Amino acid sequence: MARQLDEQIVGRFPVGRRLRVLDVGMGRGAQALRLARAGHQVTGVEQDATMISVVREELAGQPEGIRERMRIIEGQAGDTGVHFLPGSFDVVLCHGVLMHVEEQDALLAGVARMLAPGGLLSLLVRNGDAPAMRAGLSGDWAGALAGFCTAGYGLKRLTSTLAGIGAPLHAWYGVRVFTDSVADDARLPAELDTLLAVEDRAGRTDPYRGVASLLHLCGVRG
């Protein structure tokens, strides 16, 4: 996903420009810290105090310049309008957040308002078009059957939603096409570079990306 995000940033903004980045629901801060290291001004919003402590600990070990470029705000993903003015950011990340909120459309509209004209919205969501895939790949046949009856945010609905909030879909990718059934604590394989190359290729190639566990969608503020 980091490769996909970098591809969109490089294709949209001048090389060397320091971007104003908002990471809504930053979790452990992997993307926020990576972008701060790349020279961007990053603000992370997170409501989980444990996650914030993890990020602060990681940030404390970074050079001073990186620490100065990153700000952390404790708050809920839906409260961006409380903390920031509309149009305050060039890039807004909302990764793995929608599945944890009830008012999904309202949250998306709120984060989109934070974008300056021409700004990039990076959205990572569970693929509502393929809920049976993970269970099926792991041999959970009852779970796979149940998945066929589960409605969620699929590509068609998300495309319509992004258009409606003024950040039409510009590009989309699949994430975890072949590796979603791998255990979280599995050891990294020796051929990790090859694995990543396969996932990267599948994530941008039909029909594989359409059945990925996650969808990475990039909208652009009009």
Side-chain angles (χ1 to χ4, degrees):
M1 192 189 67
R3 296 182 184 184
Q4 298 162 359
L5 179 58
D6 287 347
E7 177 179 85
Q8 292 301 314
I9 288 175
V10 169
R12 175 143 300 275
F13 301 102
V15 175
R17 176 177 167 182
R18 291 195 172 187
L19 302 173
R20 301 163 298 166
V21 180
L22 174 63
D23 190 350
V24 178
M26 69 174 177
R28 294 179 176 271
Q31 296 304 319
L33 286 164
R34 189 180 67 83
L35 291 170
R37 293 188 190 104
H40 304 301
Q41 192 73 38
V42 181
T43 300
V45 176
E46 175 59 53
Q47 64 177 353
D48 189 317
T50 300
M51 293 292 100
I52 291 175
S53 295
V54 170
V55 178
R56 290 194 188 280
E57 183 176 352
E58 177 70 20
L59 189 60
Q62 301 297 315
E64 181 179 357
I66 295 175
R67 296 198 304 270
E68 291 176 345
R69 286 196 295 271
M70 187 160 172
R71 178 171 57 142
I72 300 171
I73 293 178
E74 185 172 358
Q76 297 184 357
D79 291 341
T80 51
V82 175
H83 302 291
F84 317 109
L85 293 173
S88 296
F89 297 93
D90 304 302
V91 177
V92 173
L93 314 182
C94 186
H95 295 165
V97 176
L98 282 187
M99 59 275 282
H100 301 299
V101 299
E102 293 184 3
E103 300 295 331
Q104 297 175 332
D105 288 357
L107 174 63
L108 280 179
V111 298
R113 281 194 292 271
M114 298 301 104
L115 284 168
L120 177 70
L121 172 63
S122 174
L123 179 65
L124 185 71
V125 299
R126 191 171 292 148
N127 185 0
D129 292 330
M133 285 298 295
R134 182 168 192 168
L137 289 172
S138 64
D140 176 7
W141 309 120
L145 280 174
F148 287 118
C149 302
T150 302
Y153 255 115
L155 179 63
K156 184 176 180 179
R157 181 181 170 190
L158 281 163
T159 300
S160 177
T161 300
L162 290 173
I165 62 176
L169 183 66
H170 176 71
W172 70 279
Y173 309 85
V175 177
R176 294 185 184 176
V177 177
F178 298 118
T179 58
D180 193 54
S181 60
V182 176
D184 292 337
D185 58 353
R187 303 178 79 176
L188 294 176
E191 63 275 20
L192 179 60
D193 288 344
T194 305
L195 182 156
L196 290 173
V198 170
E199 281 286 347
D200 182 53
R201 180 71 174 271
R204 60 183 71 237
T205 304
D206 292 324
Y208 306 104
R209 63 178 180 167
V211 294
S213 174
L214 304 170
L215 295 178
H216 179 199
L217 301 102
C218 298
V220 174
R221 185 72 172 174

